[in-house]
């Protein structure tokens, strides 16, 4: 159980266009989801915390107007990269916490990630 | 801001060798510590975690890690590695803010290659 699915797994887009990435919890409800990005040979960096029904909390240095996050249901969070540029090319990964598991020791379940390439 | 440092970026071992991957974090408050593994083409999987209690924690697949608070370290160990342990290993810290855990802060990862 506890499967998190990301779609698409790979996407190539032209500079200036917008791309939407979906993160779904398939067999559980997730009040909280997290979005990370990973540059080649670097660590995963937390971008934002997505809470169902409320605004996302962004980490310092992450542009909220560029990386739009919507968490409209308990099983789906979306990340939209607006007006994408080549420097936005990266690996984006989401993770989810099962609803009700709000304690600090609850596990996070990760998606397989989305490889975004902006040309 | 908290940070996580993994000392070994690439490690190459022969099968049956012993493994120790270093991890240090910088944060003075209460933290929860994790090791994740990412096999080629797969998603991150939790190997083990430390929240409190016995500082020596045992995880899946024969891995263990020891939390040494005075050294801000959480090193991963395995007495005898197998070829199937070839993967990327990430150490991570979760700062407990009291109202629900923050997202994780990851180290840069260690690429482990086990030679048959």
């Amino acid at each position: 159980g506890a499967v998190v699915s990301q779609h698409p797994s790979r996407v190539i887009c032209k500079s200036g266009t917008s791309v939407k990435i979906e993160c779904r919890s398939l067999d559980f409800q997730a009040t909280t989801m997290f979005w990370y990005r990973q540059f080649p040979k670097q660590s995963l960096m937390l971008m934002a915390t997505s809470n169902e029904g409320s605004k996302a909390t962004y980490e310092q240095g992450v542009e909220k107007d560029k990386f739009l996050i919507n968490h409209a249901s308990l099983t789906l969070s979306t990340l939209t990269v607006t007006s994408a540029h080549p420097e936005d090319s990266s690996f984006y990964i989401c993770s989810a916490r099962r609803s009700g598991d709000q304690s600090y020791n609850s596990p996070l379940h990760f998606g397989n990630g989305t490889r975004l390439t902006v040309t | 801001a908290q940070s996580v440092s993994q000392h070994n970026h690439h490690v190459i071992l022969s099968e049956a060798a012993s493994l120790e991957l270093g991890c240090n974090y910088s944060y003075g408050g209460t933290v929860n510590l994790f090791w994740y593994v990412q096999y080629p083409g797969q998603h991150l999987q939790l190997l083990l975690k430390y929240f409190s209690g016995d500082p020596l924690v045992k995880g899946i697949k024969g891995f263990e890690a020891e939390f040494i608070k005075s050294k801000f370290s959480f090193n991963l160990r395995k007495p005898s590695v197998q070829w199937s342990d070839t993967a990327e290993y990430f150490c991570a810290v979760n700062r407990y803010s009291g109202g629900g855990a923050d997202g994780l802060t990851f180290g840069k990862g260690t690429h482990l290659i086990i030679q048959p």
Side-chain angles (χ1 to χ4, degrees), chain B residues 7-82:
Chain B
H7 316 300
N8 317 101
H9 298 299
H10 288 89
V11 174
I12 302 174
L13 294 173
S14 298
E15 276 194 313
S18 64
L19 169 72
E20 180 159 3
L21 301 182
C23 174
N24 286 89
Y25 66 94
S26 64
Y27 182 69
T30 301
V31 292
N32 307 303
L33 299 155
F34 305 79
W35 275 97
Y36 282 87
V37 61
Q38 188 172 29
Y39 297 104
Q42 297 191 24
H43 62 276
L44 284 166
Q45 299 175 40
L46 181 66
L47 267 181
L48 47 79
K49 60 191 177 189
Y50 172 80
F51 295 130
S52 64
D54 189 343
L56 184 62
V57 291
K58 295 190 183 299
I60 61 172
K61 306 186 180 186
F63 286 91
E64 65 178 31
E66 184 175 12
F67 171 53
I68 303 178
K69 189 174 182 179
S70 61
K71 295 184 178 180
F72 297 88
S73 70
F74 191 56
N75 293 353
L76 180 71
R77 298 195 293 249
K78 185 171 183 177
S80 177
V81 294
Q82 301 172 311

Side-chain angles (χ1 to χ4, degrees), chain A residues 42-44, chain B residues 4-6 23 89-93 105-109:
Chain A
Q42 299 214 9
S43 174
L44 283 79
Chain B
V4 178
S5 176
Q6 289 182 240
C23 174
Y89 292 80
F90 294 94
C91 180
V93 167
T105 298
F106 283 85
K108 289 190 175 182

Side-chain angles (χ1 to χ4, degrees), chain A:
Chain A
V3 176
V4 175
S5 173
Q6 271 186 251
H7 178 80
S9 57
R10 293 178 181 270
V11 59
I12 301 173
C13 70
K14 292 186 177 180
S15 186
T17 61
S18 295
V19 174
K20 181 185 285 187
I21 303 170
E22 294 184 346
C23 179
R24 292 182 185 272
S25 54
L26 296 185
D27 53 357
F28 66 99
Q29 293 184 329
T31 306
T32 305
M33 291 184 174
F34 301 91
W35 286 97
Y36 296 84
R37 67 186 297 181
Q38 184 181 26
F39 291 106
K41 298 184 179 180
Q42 299 214 9
S43 174
L44 283 79
M45 299 294 293
L46 179 65
M47 298 175 66
T49 302
S50 170
N51 296 299
E52 186 267 337
S54 64
K55 290 183 179 180
T57 304
Y58 290 81
E59 294 299 301
Q60 193 173 9
V62 178
E63 300 174 60
K64 61 179 68 175
D65 294 330
K66 181 167 186 63
F67 298 100
L68 300 179
I69 292 173
N70 184 281
H71 194 156
S73 81
L74 286 171
T75 59
L76 174 64
S77 175
T78 61
L79 169 68
T80 302
V81 183
T82 63
S83 186
H85 291 284
E87 57 265 30
D88 298 324
S89 298
S90 188
F91 194 56
Y92 293 87
I93 304 172
C94 73
S95 69
R97 173 174 293 117
R98 186 188 300 269
S99 292
D101 286 353
Q102 293 305 314
S103 62
Y104 66 92
N105 59 355
S106 57
L108 294 174
H109 307 285
F110 284 84
N112 281 349
T114 297
R115 174 77 60 194
L116 170 63
T117 303
V118 184
T119 61

